[in-house]
Amino acid sequence: MTIVLTPYWINGVQKLKVAQSPKPKRGLVPPVLDESVHALRCLSQLRSKDKSIEKYIYLSALKEQDPNMFYKLCLENMSEFTPIIYTPTVGDACLQYSHIYRRPEGLFISIKDKGKIREVISNWPRIDEARISVVTDGSRILGLGDLGVNGMPISIGKLSLYIAGAGIRPESTIPICLDLGTNTQKYLDDPLYLGLRQTRVPEQEMTEFMDEFMHEMSVAFPKLMIQFEVLHSTLATLALIDWRLIYALSFRKDFSTDNAFRYLERYRNKYPVFNDDIQGTGAVVLSGFLNAAKLSSAASGQPLTSHRILFFGAGSAGVGVAQQLMSFFTLQGFSKEEARRRIWLVDSQGLVFNARGRLAEHKKYFSRDDYNGAPMTNLVEIIKYVKPTALLGLSTITGAFTADVIQTMASINARPIIFPLSNPVRLSECSFADAVQYTSGSVLFASGSPFPDQEFRGTTLYPGQGNNMYIFPGLGLAAILGRVSSVTDSMVEASSLGLADSLTAEERAQGLLYPRIERIREISAQIAKAVIRAAQRDGVDRNESLRAMKDDDLVRLIRRKMWTP
């Protein structure tokens, strides 16, 4: 009998362990257990569930018991699995987390651990294997409010996409939830709630906690990529924590808007950062917009420089996407000032303009100085005034794009660009069916959550989905392989352009704005290549061995580095 030993490390000490046999010993499983037949069995069990949350629970158990089978099925059925393990079902999983909890998965650090966070982190059993973590404090996920510790499924779901989309090894991932309290009374009153029964801590205490957490993470995990989903509507940051640490840090969807920008500003100079919800969402939207703008301009006969973008929703996500979409205009030769003036914002009080009065700091950059009339609050009237070619929604206001709004867009554009980007589906500004109906099939559509295809006058129309999972797996993999010292704007832009260019001829013929999600590994490899090249041009790469490689060789290397179940 041959015994295979494999090395592993505990607190910096290398040890050996017996490698697990790929197959259980005789007698420990039924006599006839065929892998391909068992895959069909698992799919049959999954599809027998009539509720999405039940499918989520089943897949969570499958991932725990047989991760190879889970990810094999995921890669073979991406369009079916993605809405279950991520949006929209992950939103329901968060809302019900304390009630559907089965087993510990990840690391929980609470405000009660302040002053001893290092001790908690050191309890993670695979410290030396850790390469990527997604961290949340659950204060605002997917527009669902302050979920507290119930936000953990967003970290779990994101990491599943890193594994499936970019081939990060499952044992290298760490979901983390920071429990800083919750201001949602129903959770505080819920006897099954798994978090601290206290309201959120004051700003000063939170800042001290975050500073300690960031420092201890940098000490404990010198090779760890972190996507930080903390504090409300968006502060995402793929960041590099000094030269020895984190290839990427992401503050994203769960900080309040003010905190999002405040914490981003606090850490971005100390830790070079990439923002997933602001820049990541912006990158994936820019990619879809690039393809939509070409189709829209072809239909209208107007140049790409003629586009005008109206944002409905001026929170940190909306403003972040607007900042990223400035790249569309600078790519057409505009200056940054000229690009800025092609973008308008609408918030809860209507059109954002200087003379309206006091504005939140993050809205001022796009606030208009060329309008001094009465406040404009009606979206239809705003559209008639601005005459946008594109209407983007990041408001989480269900049905905000009414029939009148959509028809008004269609009346001034041969092919209107309408992107209702709010997640989950129930918070989307409009459905694909309504967009098709009220534009007579001329709409160029992309949403944040998936919608079904529509038949219109004998033709099948396909909705685009501007899902961040197109961007962040490949971008994160590039940051790791390139050992970058920071994630630059050029790298983010490169990820967007790489995605836009990844459509096949067949996909373009079908009018798709995004490639089919089933090709996510191929897409991630191309994005990783583009991002590594951008890092090299910016001089922030530290893996010099990649510089001399030809593009084809680099892509092959990236694909070899991807874990395959």
Side-chain angles (χ1 to χ4, degrees):
M1 180 178 65
T2 300
I3 298 176
V4 179
L5 301 178
T6 59
Y8 71 106
W9 289 262
I10 293 182
N11 298 326
V13 178
Q14 181 175 330
K15 299 183 178 181
L16 296 174
K17 62 182 176 182
V18 178
Q20 292 184 348
S21 173
K23 294 182 180 180
K25 294 180 179 179
R26 185 177 179 84
L28 298 182
V29 296
V32 180
L33 181 62
D34 181 87
E35 189 78 6
S36 59
V37 175
H38 186 51
L40 296 176
R41 182 181 295 112
C42 293
L43 281 176
S44 177
Q45 292 175 13
L46 171 69
R47 291 165 181 168
S48 71
K49 313 295 182 184
D50 59 359
K51 295 180 180 178
S52 295
I53 192 65
E54 292 298 328
K55 293 182 178 182
Y56 176 91
I57 292 170
Y58 171 76
L59 289 180
S60 295
L62 180 62
K63 182 175 66 172
E64 173 75 15
Q65 296 157 8
D66 192 350
N68 277 282
M69 179 60 71
F70 171 83
Y71 286 108
K72 177 180 183 295
L73 292 177
C74 185
L75 285 169
E76 293 175 353
N77 303 272
M78 285 299 297
S79 60
E80 181 179 356
F81 274 50
T82 299
I84 301 173
I85 63 178
Y86 193 46
T87 58
T89 307
V90 73
D92 292 333
C94 289
L95 290 171
Q96 302 181 51
Y97 178 65
S98 290
H99 290 250
I100 65 173
Y101 176 82
R102 299 294 200 277
R103 67 192 68 80
E105 185 174 1
L107 189 63
F108 295 86
I109 305 174
S110 80
I111 190 64
K112 303 294 186 183
D113 298 316
K114 185 171 175 284
K116 49 186 177 181
I117 292 177
R118 178 178 300 183
E119 299 175 22
V120 179
I121 291 175
S122 66
N123 289 330
W124 184 250
R126 298 183 298 275
I127 285 182
D128 294 293
E129 296 178 39
R131 293 296 181 272
I132 181 170
S133 177
V134 176
V135 185
T136 185
D137 82 334
S139 57
R140 187 178 186 271
I141 290 180
L142 300 173
L144 299 175
D146 185 350
L147 300 178
V149 80
N150 289 332
M152 176 58 102
I154 199 70
S155 294
I156 296 170
K158 279 276 192 176
L159 287 170
S160 294
L161 296 182
Y162 266 108
I163 297 165
I168 308 298
R169 292 182 177 276
E171 62 269 20
S172 298
T173 65
I174 316 176
I176 297 180
C177 184
L178 306 178
D179 188 356
L180 305 176
T182 178
N183 293 332
T184 303
Q185 192 61 41
K186 71 175 181 179
Y187 297 136
L188 297 176
D189 295 337
D190 184 354
L192 297 182
Y193 179 59
L194 288 164
L196 296 175
R197 298 183 187 279
Q198 67 176 61
T199 57
R200 287 200 170 267
V201 298
E203 178 182 310
Q204 179 61 35
E205 188 175 359
M206 177 182 176
T207 300
E208 293 171 357
F209 175 90
M210 291 300 299
D211 285 348
E212 180 186 353
F213 173 77
M214 293 294 293
H215 172 71
E216 297 302 344
M217 290 291 286
S218 71
V219 173
F221 301 113
K223 297 180 181 178
L224 183 72
M225 175 196 285
I226 300 179
Q227 181 170 307
F228 215 160
E229 302 234 355
V230 274
L231 300 184
H232 186 54
S233 149
T234 322
L235 165 87
T237 332
L238 201 92
L240 190 94
I241 301 188
D242 83 36
W243 62 272
R244 51 182 193 165
L245 164 72
I246 295 183
Y247 299 140
L249 161 70
S250 166
F251 293 112
R252 189 174 176 260
K253 247 187 199 143
D254 318 319
F255 274 101
S256 68
T257 299
D258 289 342
N259 282 338
F261 285 96
R262 180 166 56 84
Y263 278 92
L264 179 60
E265 183 62 28
R266 180 178 184 84
Y267 295 123
R268 70 184 309 168
N269 294 325
K270 187 174 182 181
Y271 315 121
V273 297
F274 162 79
N275 184 309
D276 179 42
D277 196 51
I278 293 176
Q279 291 171 290
T281 299
V284 78
V285 174
L286 173 60
S287 176
F289 186 82
L290 281 163
N291 290 326
K294 293 174 184 176
L295 294 173
S296 179
S297 288
S300 67
Q302 297 297 312
L304 292 175
T305 53
S306 67
H307 284 282
R308 302 155 70 88
I309 306 175
L310 178 65
F311 280 84
F312 182 74
S316 54
V319 172
V321 174
Q323 290 171 339
Q324 193 66 49
L325 258 63
M326 286 176 59
S327 295
F328 170 79
F329 296 106
T330 57
L331 288 169
Q332 313 311 319
F334 282 14
S335 67
K336 286 189 175 182
E337 175 60 21
E338 290 170 330
R340 181 181 71 86
R341 300 191 69 80
R342 309 297 294 184
I343 294 173
W344 287 256
L345 300 182
V346 176
D347 63 9
S348 59
Q349 299 177 54
L351 183 68
V352 176
F353 61 99
N354 291 353
R356 195 181 78 178
R358 184 179 177 182
L359 294 171
E361 194 65 32
H362 66 280
K363 300 178 185 180
K364 291 181 180 178
Y365 184 73
F366 291 104
S367 181
R368 307 300 300 190
D369 60 5
D370 54 0
Y371 178 79
N372 296 297
M376 299 181 68
T377 57
N378 183 279
L379 184 55
V380 171
E381 295 303 314
I382 294 172
I383 291 172
K384 290 179 179 178
Y385 168 73
V386 175
K387 293 181 174 58
T389 58
L391 175 63
L392 276 64
L394 293 105
S395 66
T396 67
I397 298 177
T398 307
F401 296 171
T402 63
D404 285 345
V405 168
I406 297 170
Q407 288 169 347
T408 303
M409 284 294 296
S411 70
I412 59 177
N413 295 287
R415 298 207 66 185
I417 300 170
I418 299 178
F419 285 10
L421 298 171
S422 294
N423 287 316
V425 168
R426 64 181 184 81
L427 299 180
S428 182
E429 287 80 5
C430 72
S431 68
F432 183 47
D434 285 347
V436 169
Q437 177 184 348
Y438 298 128
T439 64
S440 298
S442 66
V443 69
L444 293 163
F445 181 96
S447 58
S449 291
F451 283 97
D453 303 341
Q454 294 293 314
E455 295 294 327
F456 184 80
R457 297 177 183 174
T459 302
T460 302
L461 302 180
Y462 302 96
Q465 185 189 356
N467 194 320
N468 282 25
M469 75 166 292
Y470 278 118
I471 293 288
F472 66 76
L475 183 58
L477 183 60
I480 293 174
L481 296 180
R483 297 202 295 270
V484 300
S485 59
S486 64
V487 179
T488 65
D489 290 342
S490 297
M491 292 164 63
V492 178
E493 186 176 281
S495 71
S496 184
L497 296 176
L499 176 59
D501 291 339
S502 66
L503 274 75
T504 64
E506 180 183 0
E507 289 168 341
R508 293 187 186 280
Q510 293 175 331
L512 301 187
L513 303 183
Y514 292 100
R516 297 197 180 280
I517 201 67
E518 288 83 357
R519 297 198 299 113
I520 185 61
R521 286 285 180 99
E522 177 187 341
I523 296 163
S524 293
Q526 292 296 329
I527 288 175
K529 184 262 295 182
V531 172
I532 288 172
R533 292 302 190 215
Q536 292 169 349
R537 289 192 295 272
D538 289 343
V540 296
D541 65 308
R542 293 177 297 174
N543 186 353
E544 297 181 6
S545 65
L546 304 182
R547 295 178 184 176
M549 296 183 72
K550 296 179 179 179
D551 284 355
D552 289 345
D553 292 336
L554 179 56
V555 170
R556 280 192 287 270
L557 171 69
I558 292 167
R559 293 188 67 86
R560 285 200 306 271
K561 294 293 185 180
M562 291 180 171
W563 172 80
T564 300

